[in-house]
PDB file of all heavy atoms in Angstrom:
ATOM      1  N   GLN A1110     176.643 149.388 247.519  1.00 97.00           N
ATOM      2  CA  GLN A1110     176.508 149.943 248.861  1.00 97.00           C
ATOM      3  C   GLN A1110     176.017 151.367 248.790  1.00 97.00           C
ATOM      4  O   GLN A1110     176.529 152.172 247.992  1.00 97.00           O
ATOM      5  CB  GLN A1110     177.831 149.858 249.625  1.00 97.00           C
ATOM      6  CG  GLN A1110     177.708 150.205 251.098  1.00 97.00           C
ATOM      7  CD  GLN A1110     178.911 149.810 251.902  1.00 97.00           C
ATOM      8  OE1 GLN A1110     180.017 149.662 251.349  1.00 97.00           O
ATOM      9  NE2 GLN A1110     178.734 149.574 253.193  1.00 97.00           N
ATOM     10  N   VAL A1111     175.074 151.635 249.650  1.00 97.00           N
ATOM     11  CA  VAL A1111     174.549 152.984 249.825  1.00 97.00           C
ATOM     12  C   VAL A1111     175.027 153.489 251.183  1.00 97.00           C
ATOM     13  O   VAL A1111     175.054 152.706 252.145  1.00 97.00           O
ATOM     14  CB  VAL A1111     173.006 152.974 249.778  1.00 97.00           C
ATOM     15  CG1 VAL A1111     172.455 154.353 250.091  1.00 97.00           C
ATOM     16  CG2 VAL A1111     172.523 152.484 248.422  1.00 97.00           C
ATOM     17  N   PRO A1112     175.400 154.749 251.321  1.00 93.00           N
ATOM     18  CA  PRO A1112     175.865 155.265 252.618  1.00 93.00           C
ATOM     19  C   PRO A1112     174.866 154.956 253.736  1.00 93.00           C
ATOM     20  O   PRO A1112     173.672 155.157 253.583  1.00 93.00           O
ATOM     21  CB  PRO A1112     175.968 156.768 252.380  1.00 93.00           C
ATOM     22  CG  PRO A1112     176.282 156.879 250.920  1.00 93.00           C
ATOM     23  CD  PRO A1112     175.493 155.775 250.278  1.00 93.00           C
ATOM     24  N   GLY A1113     175.413 154.408 254.815  1.00 94.00           N
ATOM     25  CA  GLY A1113     174.579 154.111 255.971  1.00 94.00           C
ATOM     26  C   GLY A1113     173.926 152.739 255.937  1.00 94.00           C
ATOM     27  O   GLY A1113     173.234 152.347 256.875  1.00 94.00           O
ATOM     28  N   LYS A1114     174.137 152.015 254.828  1.00 95.00           N
ATOM     29  CA  LYS A1114     173.584 150.668 254.709  1.00 95.00           C
ATOM     30  C   LYS A1114     174.688 149.643 254.470  1.00 95.00           C
ATOM     31  O   LYS A1114     175.784 149.989 254.038  1.00 95.00           O
ATOM     32  CB  LYS A1114     172.571 150.614 253.581  1.00 95.00           C
ATOM     33  CG  LYS A1114     171.309 151.430 253.816  1.00 95.00           C
ATOM     34  CD  LYS A1114     170.277 151.157 252.728  1.00 95.00           C
ATOM     35  CE  LYS A1114     168.972 151.882 253.018  1.00 95.00           C
ATOM     36  NZ  LYS A1114     167.946 151.607 251.983  1.00 95.00           N
ATOM     37  N   GLU A1115     174.364 148.392 254.760  1.00 95.00           N
ATOM     38  CA  GLU A1115     175.336 147.309 254.530  1.00 95.00           C
ATOM     39  C   GLU A1115     175.491 147.052 253.026  1.00 95.00           C
ATOM     40  O   GLU A1115     174.581 147.284 252.245  1.00 95.00           O
ATOM     41  CB  GLU A1115     174.890 146.039 255.238  1.00 95.00           C
ATOM     42  CG  GLU A1115     174.963 146.100 256.744  1.00 95.00           C
ATOM     43  CD  GLU A1115     174.732 144.740 257.384  1.00 95.00           C
ATOM     44  OE1 GLU A1115     174.489 143.768 256.648  1.00 95.00           O
ATOM     45  OE2 GLU A1115     174.804 144.667 258.624  1.00 95.00           O
TER      46      GLU A1115
END
Side-chain angles (χ1 to χ4, degrees):
Q1110 189 166 24
V1111 175
K1114 293 188 176 182
E1115 290 190 359

